[in-house]
Amino acid sequence: MSVRRAVYPGSFDPAHYGHIDIATRAARVFDEVFVAVYANPAKAKSVLFSVEERVAMLSAVLGHMPNVQIAPYYGLTVDFVRQVEAMAIIRGLRVFSDFELEFRMALANRRLAPEIEVVTFIADERHLHLSSSTVREIASLGGDVSTMVPPVVSAALVAKFKERHQNGVESDYMISLHD
Ligand code: ADP
């Protein structure tokens, strides 16, 4: 039987416990899961962490799972899915407000690649409120995010905001992100 491989794409800027839960559950359902970190050069300035930093944090957190791989990708998600010969795109669904966007993206992806299924996992209620933008905002104001992200991400946030504050960088990266 062929390998059932799925791609879980996202910005993961940064990864939090909601993302980790979805990746872990997907890895129980599929033989192999690629956690794919979207690297959009046009958005490079609007993200907090570089794609290399995001990949490194996810690798530190999910690297112990033998059937999970972390990779950056550029361009269309369906092109990456085809490139790695996966059969499905994984998405997490939090609250009702996610639904419209996810529904639209799933239909667009179906139009582009009818052979690829979009599989949606309902968020765990413990993580329903979690989003990367909330995490970034709390961390930028010096708040404690230790219940929302793993220690490696928490430490990276502290270091990143220390560096930004020292360099006098404004937190303008939040504005253009939708999560
Ligand atoms: P994007 O940039 O595509 O919105 P994100 O990095 O914000 O990507 O999220 C990647 C995926 O994880 C999306 O499907 C998103 O709905 C899902 N997700 C985000 N936060 C949570 C959460 N708290 N629980 C479950 N799934 C989540």
Side-chain angles (χ1 to χ4, degrees):
M1 208 176 77
S2 60
V3 175
R4 300 172 78 84
R5 190 175 292 137
V7 170
Y8 177 33
S11 304
F12 305 107
D13 185 39
H16 53 62
Y17 284 132
H19 295 133
I20 293 159
D21 179 56
I22 300 294
T24 306
R25 287 161 58 197
R28 284 191 214 121
V29 174
F30 289 90
D31 297 324
E32 288 177 12
V33 173
F34 272 84
V35 179
V37 182
Y38 186 45
N40 181 348
K43 265 197 165 183
K45 280 198 179 125
S46 61
V47 288
L48 180 60
F49 290 101
S50 69
V51 67
E52 293 80 13
E53 290 170 325
R54 286 178 276 149
V55 167
M57 283 187 276
L58 278 163
S59 303
V61 176
L62 294 170
H64 65 284
M65 298 178 67
N67 64 335
V68 175
Q69 293 187 55
I70 326 293
Y73 80 104
Y74 307 82
L76 286 174
T77 301
V78 291
D79 288 344
F80 180 75
V81 175
R82 282 175 169 157
Q83 193 188 313
V84 299
E85 298 179 351
M87 62 183 292
I89 296 173
I90 305 292
R91 297 293 288 175
L93 207 55
R94 272 166 299 192
V95 279
F96 300 111
S97 56
D98 272 351
F99 185 78
E100 195 189 331
L101 173 73
E102 294 296 337
F103 193 74
R104 240 182 319 121
M105 279 201 307
L107 290 180
N109 283 328
R110 164 92 49 87
R111 184 71 65 89
L112 293 172
E115 79 281 11
I116 298 169
E117 279 300 336
V118 175
V119 177
T120 305
F121 286 73
I122 302 297
D124 188 290
E125 60 185 338
R126 288 169 303 161
H127 309 310
L128 270 183
H129 63 289
L130 268 182
S131 72
S132 296
S133 58
T134 306
V135 168
R136 290 193 303 269
E137 190 158 1
I138 294 171
S140 76
L141 299 169
D144 177 13
V145 290
S146 60
T147 62
M148 304 175 189
V149 298
V152 65
V153 176
S154 207
L157 281 162
V158 170
K160 181 67 80 175
F161 282 112
K162 195 171 163 204
E163 175 197 315
R164 288 172 74 99
H165 290 153
Q166 275 168 358
N167 296 336
V169 180
E170 294 292 327
S171 294
D172 56 347
Y173 58 87
M174 289 179 202
I175 296 161
S176 65
L177 291 184
H178 62 256
D179 66 338

